[in-house]
Amino acid sequence: MQLLKKKILYKDWIYEWLLDKKNYIKESTYANYSTNIFNHIIPKLGHYYLKDINHKIIQDFLLDLSKSGNKSCDGGLSEKTIKDIAIIVKGSIKKAINDNLIDYIELSFNYPKTHKEEKIYILTKSEQNKITNYSIENLNNKNLGILISLYSGLRIGEVCALRWGNIDFKKGILTVNTTIQRIYIKDKDKNKNISKVVITAPKTKNANRLIPINNCFLNILKNFKGKDNEYIISGNEKYIEPRTYRKYFEKVLNINKIKHINFHSLRHTFATNCISAGVDYKTVSELLGHANVNITLNLYVHPRMAQKKKCIDLISKVFQEKVK
């Protein structure tokens, strides 16, 4: 750290903290930190002197983010985004405390609920059939990627990063161990975002996973198999980045007269189909690469009234037997 004066502006301190963290975190994480620091933290907290920041100031800041933190539209940020921002603030403050630049302050905060349900779109059976039939009838490398996501639950970055070497054709196993994403890093001096594509390991340990491939689909893949270092959806050694692949997916939707949906809906549909088929939640969670089964339960397990009624009827039968 180069800042040694007692009267340190928080905007200068957190920038120095960010530069220091760069040596210990993934580039994509650094980009995320940078975006949140320049878009949210510095505009609201940057004018404070480091020594003047206290628990109330940070707590009020987090509350304000939930009400009016969204720069692209009216309204606040999601609870997850607010927690991500809080992690950055707490990390920078802890560093200042450890360096004896400020006195200890409490860093436990309440996170306001946004009461916004995450919108998850599940393809109808008709839409699934249209996409599947079109992809099979017009087989090419890009359409293989769509089928892989719909029937294996891969994220778009994971599909784009897949190489033929990720598939063990003898064992029928697909290995997910990389992802592609475009990251945006704020350039403080030029006051603009610099973007670049990075290929990294998935975000969490659980996202590294093995997925069995159905024999029928495996035979389809064999017809397109290239060299181990070639990307599956491009058919060569040059990758296709997610934003380009999303545009292709939109064309497929338009051709099949399906309303605009997010590519991620293929993953949601896969998960829902698994649960509807009676697959246990732990298995679905591992196939999706979730950090824990609770994420799967919160996202996809929402019993309908008919299921609840069936459960009550089953319990009631036990009760009636006891009464007799």
Side-chain angles (χ1 to χ4, degrees), residues 50-183:
L50 180 61
K51 66 181 181 61
D52 293 332
I53 289 183
N54 57 40
H55 182 275
K56 185 179 185 306
I57 288 173
I58 300 173
Q59 182 66 75
D60 289 346
F61 163 63
L62 298 177
L63 179 60
D64 184 60
L65 290 177
S66 73
K67 294 179 179 179
S68 57
N70 198 322
K71 292 182 175 293
S72 60
C73 62
D74 293 334
L77 300 175
S78 68
E79 184 179 350
K80 180 187 179 304
T81 301
I82 294 172
K83 286 183 176 180
D84 288 344
I85 292 172
I87 287 172
I88 297 170
V89 174
K90 288 195 286 187
S92 67
I93 296 298
K94 282 181 180 178
K95 176 65 176 172
I97 294 171
N98 292 338
D99 288 358
N100 295 316
L101 294 175
I102 59 173
D103 294 329
Y104 173 82
I105 65 172
E106 177 59 46
L107 292 175
S108 295
F109 303 102
N110 294 316
Y111 298 98
K113 299 291 182 181
T114 56
H115 302 294
K116 289 182 180 178
E117 293 186 3
E118 184 176 350
K119 293 182 179 179
I120 293 179
Y121 184 79
I122 309 300
L123 276 71
T124 65
K125 290 295 181 183
S126 174
E127 290 170 337
Q128 291 180 56
N129 289 338
K130 282 182 179 179
I131 290 175
T132 300
N133 291 337
Y134 174 82
S135 297
I136 291 176
E137 291 168 4
N138 300 273
L139 270 179
N140 58 37
N141 290 78
K142 291 180 181 176
N143 287 344
L144 283 180
I146 293 174
L147 291 173
I148 288 172
S149 183
L150 184 58
Y151 291 98
S152 300
L154 270 65
R155 302 173 178 88
I156 189 168
E158 294 169 340
V159 172
C160 290
L162 277 182
R163 302 176 193 247
W164 287 110
N166 287 106
I167 299 179
D168 186 329
F169 283 90
K170 290 183 179 179
K171 295 181 179 179
I173 298 291
L174 170 65
T175 299
V176 181
N177 55 17
T178 50
T179 186
I180 291 179
Q181 62 179 313
R182 178 171 287 278
I183 62 173

Side-chain angles (χ1 to χ4, degrees), residues 186-252:
K186 189 80 172 183
D187 187 308
K188 183 184 177 184
D189 298 324
K190 297 180 181 179
N191 194 30
K192 66 177 184 179
N193 286 327
I194 299 174
S195 73
K196 62 184 293 188
V197 175
V198 295
I199 303 175
T200 64
K203 187 175 182 180
T204 66
K205 179 181 178 181
N206 297 69
N208 289 279
R209 59 202 189 276
L210 303 177
I211 301 176
I213 305 177
N214 174 274
N215 285 333
C216 180
F217 190 32
L218 197 65
N219 288 330
I220 293 175
L221 291 169
K222 285 179 180 177
N223 293 325
F224 287 82
K225 187 181 183 308
K227 297 177 181 178
D228 283 354
N229 64 336
E230 292 180 342
Y231 291 93
I232 290 178
I233 67 168
S234 68
N236 54 54
E237 295 180 18
K238 184 173 176 56
Y239 60 77
I240 296 175
E241 69 167 294
R243 67 178 182 181
T244 302
Y245 196 42
R246 284 192 187 94
K247 291 179 181 178
Y248 176 78
F249 180 61
E250 288 175 6
K251 289 181 180 179
V252 172

